Each structure stands twice: as structure tokens, then as C-alpha cells.
Amino acid sequence: MSLVVVGSVAYDGVETPYGRRERMLGGACTYVALAARYFTEVGIVAVVGEDFDRADQQFLEARGIDLTGLARAPGKTFFWSGVYSEDMNDRTTLRTDLNVFADFHPVLPASYRSCPYLFLGNIQPELQRLVRAQMHQPRLVGGDTMNYWIQSRRQELLSALAEWNVLLINDSEARMLSGERNLRRAADIIRRMGPRILVIKRGEYGAVLFADGDPFLAPGYPLENVCDPTGAGDCFAGGFIGYLAERGLAPEDASSEPQELRRAVVYGSVLGSFCCEQFGVDRFRTLTRAEIDARFQEFKALTAF
Ligand code: AMP
């Protein structure tokens, strides 16, 4: 196994202009792992409750995700619900019930500890730090967070961040974390907090990479039908980190292999776009690597001038 992913495995309730799902498989860890699995071997660290459906576990197993680090605890699985605006660029969180995540103390299986790649998906920053501390010298550590943690656990987050090489975050969160409106200046401030490689995601408008050289801008794929954007940011992260793992890249490559980082951003954008085509994780029930590579090529054509 080459990539360990920690984060929420959840049930989500989602309403978009296309419809509504009361309870479907979701969670940051789930989406990151599903997307990264197209590139590399993945194991997850998370906890679910007694209500976690056997069919959902079987789906993750069938995708070849290592579930040795998926604990089951008395209580309910993490639950999140949200409703999207008409244009789907904004969403309002209705509920965040940590449930079994509230007292989760992750213990990494021995088989995970020497993995070269670690991705700390969106969850309490203290849990992210605890998982990082159990790994033996990973080659590259990446992570994600959100407004919920920036506001409520800022100090914990700053200590976790200091040990990361890569941070993926969306634009409003980058402004909130840095206290700076201008994205370029915000990027400088955030990179001084720890992560040398920073990707600022801009929803349907794509993403900007800030590493050692000039910034790189990747558009969002112009989808004809966006059904449900839930998890798109996590799938972006999974595509990005999965590609770095597939290519065996390290943080030092930020200066020697800038093209590889750029390709990773485009794979991130590709995986995020597929995620939006159906509700929840449904697109990953049929998506193939060939479809992913075809859309990656399409990106080249769309941006060449
Ligand atoms: P995204 O649309 O990429 O931001 O990811 C949405 C996913 O993140 C959903 O599946 C939620 O279950 C999960 N999520 C939402 N809020 C939180 C939170 N505070 N901590 C951890 N995971 C969360």
C-alpha cells in the first residue's frame, strides 16, 4: 500500500436543484480514497458506527480500498447534511453530527505506518496530528481542512499544518485562514505556516497551484450537467495526491518537476468533475481510468492557445 487517508466516513443528507438524498454514503475520507484508488493502493483510517451499512462496506472493498484501519464503534456514524443554492456555488450546512468521531482515537495498523504517502482529509485537526505522529517518515504529507475547523480549532489546526508538505483548501477558507483577501498574498502567508505546496480550489472555476515557481491555473471542467457537487473538493484532493503517489513524487520535486505538480492539479480537476455528475459516490460505481485519462487529454485541448 502506498497511500494512507484519514478523514470522515459519513452519511450525508443532500439537497440540490436536481433532487434530494436523505442519507447516502459520503465523508471526506471516502471521497479522497475512491478518487486516489484510480492511481495507487489506498488504506483508510476512520471510524463508523453500528448503523454503517454492509453494502457500503462491500462497495469500498470492491473498489480495492484497504479497510484494516476502519474502526467500528458503539453509536452512530458521522452525519452531515447540507443544501445547495440554485447555481450550486454555495451550500449551507444544516447539520454536522460528529457522533462516533467525537471520541475517536485512531490507532494505525502496523501495515500502514511505513507508507510513503499520507493524506489527512477534513476532520478534527487534533486527529490529523495524531495520525501524522504514528507514521514513520512518510515521503509526503498532504491535508485538507474547512471553515468549521478554522473557526473552532485554529490553534490545533496551526500545529497540525506545520508538519504538512501539501495543503488543499478552497478560496474562502484560504482567506479565513490567512486573514488576507488577496489570494496571492494569502498563499504566501499560508505557505509560511508549513505547506510548501498549496492548492487553492475555486469550485467550478478550477484551482490555483502555489509552489516554488510561478502559480499555475487549472480551469474546472465545463460540465453540461452538475448533479451534486458534494465531495468534489475531496475527489480533487484524491486525484492530486493519487497522481503524486503513482509517480513517486516528493515535496522537493516542487522545484525540479513543476510539470508533474501541474499534471496532478489537472487530475484533481478531472476527478472533481466526475464526482459532480451523479449524487454522492455513485459516479465511482462505474468510472474507469480510461475515462479519467480521456478527460485529462481533453483538458489539454481546452486550454491550449
Ligand atoms: P466537499 O464537498 O469536498 O467539501 O466534501 C463534503 C464531504 O465532507 C461530505 O461527504 C461530508 O460528510 C464531509 N464533511 C462535511 N463537514 C465535515 C466536517 N466538519 N468534518 C469532516 N467531514 C465533513
Side-chain angles (χ1 to χ4, degrees):
M1 198 171 70
S2 82
L3 172 66
V4 172
V5 180
V6 62
S8 50
V9 170
Y11 283 118
D12 292 344
V14 167
E15 187 174 340
T16 83
Y18 281 83
R20 180 183 173 149
R21 296 286 184 278
E22 296 292 335
R23 185 181 164 86
M24 63 184 183
L25 175 63
C29 180
T30 309
Y31 284 109
V32 174
L34 284 167
R37 185 67 188 94
Y38 288 93
F39 303 88
T40 192
E41 303 270 304
V42 181
I44 66 173
V45 181
V47 60
V48 291
E50 293 148 326
D51 56 348
F52 196 65
D53 211 316
R54 217 179 138 61
D56 292 325
Q57 175 158 345
Q58 283 166 345
F59 165 60
L60 297 174
E61 276 162 0
R63 292 292 314 134
I65 295 169
D66 186 334
L67 303 184
T68 318
L70 181 65
R72 211 175 255 271
K76 284 188 176 172
T77 300
F78 181 108
F79 182 80
W80 172 83
S81 66
V83 51
Y84 286 85
S85 61
E86 198 53 39
D87 65 5
M88 284 194 262
N89 284 328
D90 287 308
R91 82 174 169 211
T92 308
T93 291
L94 300 176
R95 264 173 76 177
T96 303
D97 300 337
L98 289 180
N99 295 334
V100 289
F101 263 104
D103 327 284
F104 180 47
H105 299 286
V107 179
L108 262 61
S111 57
Y112 283 27
R113 295 180 187 231
S114 310
C115 282
Y117 294 87
L118 172 63
F119 191 80
L120 303 157
N122 181 24
I123 197 65
Q124 293 100 302
E126 182 55 14
L127 289 185
Q128 295 176 315
R129 207 185 53 76
L130 283 173
V131 170
R132 165 69 189 87
Q134 292 174 54
M135 295 288 291
H136 306 315
Q137 301 190 312
R139 186 179 305 162
L140 185 140
V141 180
D144 187 7
T145 190
M146 70 183 296
N147 49 7
Y148 190 80
W149 306 118
I150 298 172
Q151 285 164 332
S152 64
R153 309 281 172 93
R154 185 174 175 86
Q155 280 315 316
E156 275 176 31
L157 177 63
L158 290 178
S159 12
L161 260 185
E163 300 174 323
W164 301 2
N165 311 114
V166 176
L167 170 67
L168 295 112
I169 192 171
N170 74 29
D171 47 2
S172 62
E173 291 156 358
R175 291 188 172 105
M176 190 185 285
L177 178 61
S178 63
E180 167 60 55
R181 250 207 73 71
N182 176 280
L183 274 193
R184 208 160 175 169
R185 282 200 294 265
D188 287 339
I189 295 171
I190 294 171
R191 289 183 69 220
R192 283 200 291 272
M193 294 173 178
R196 177 172 176 179
I197 301 167
L198 171 67
V199 180
I200 299 185
K201 298 171 285 179
R202 302 175 61 230
E204 69 168 314
Y205 306 112
V208 191
L209 165 73
F210 296 94
D212 292 356
D214 291 330
F216 170 68
L217 288 85
Y221 181 78
L223 280 176
E224 261 177 67
N225 292 308
V226 176
C227 178
D228 170 20
T230 309
D234 302 316
C235 291
F236 184 112
F240 180 83
I241 202 88
Y243 180 75
L244 296 184
E246 181 182 64
R247 306 291 297 166
L249 295 162
E252 306 77 75
D253 299 319
S255 52
S256 58
E257 304 264 15
Q259 293 304 107
E260 286 286 39
L261 283 186
R262 291 176 172 212
R263 288 182 198 113
V265 172
V266 173
Y267 271 115
S269 214
V270 167
L271 268 296
S273 72
F274 278 117
C275 177
C276 298
E277 290 181 352
Q278 290 180 23
F279 268 98
V281 300
D282 282 353
R283 186 64 180 89
F284 297 101
R285 298 184 195 277
T286 56
L287 182 67
T288 64
R289 177 67 191 255
E291 288 177 290
I292 292 169
D293 287 336
R295 188 167 288 180
F296 178 87
Q297 291 306 329
E298 229 185 294
F299 257 88
K300 278 202 170 141
L302 284 171
T303 53
F305 63 91

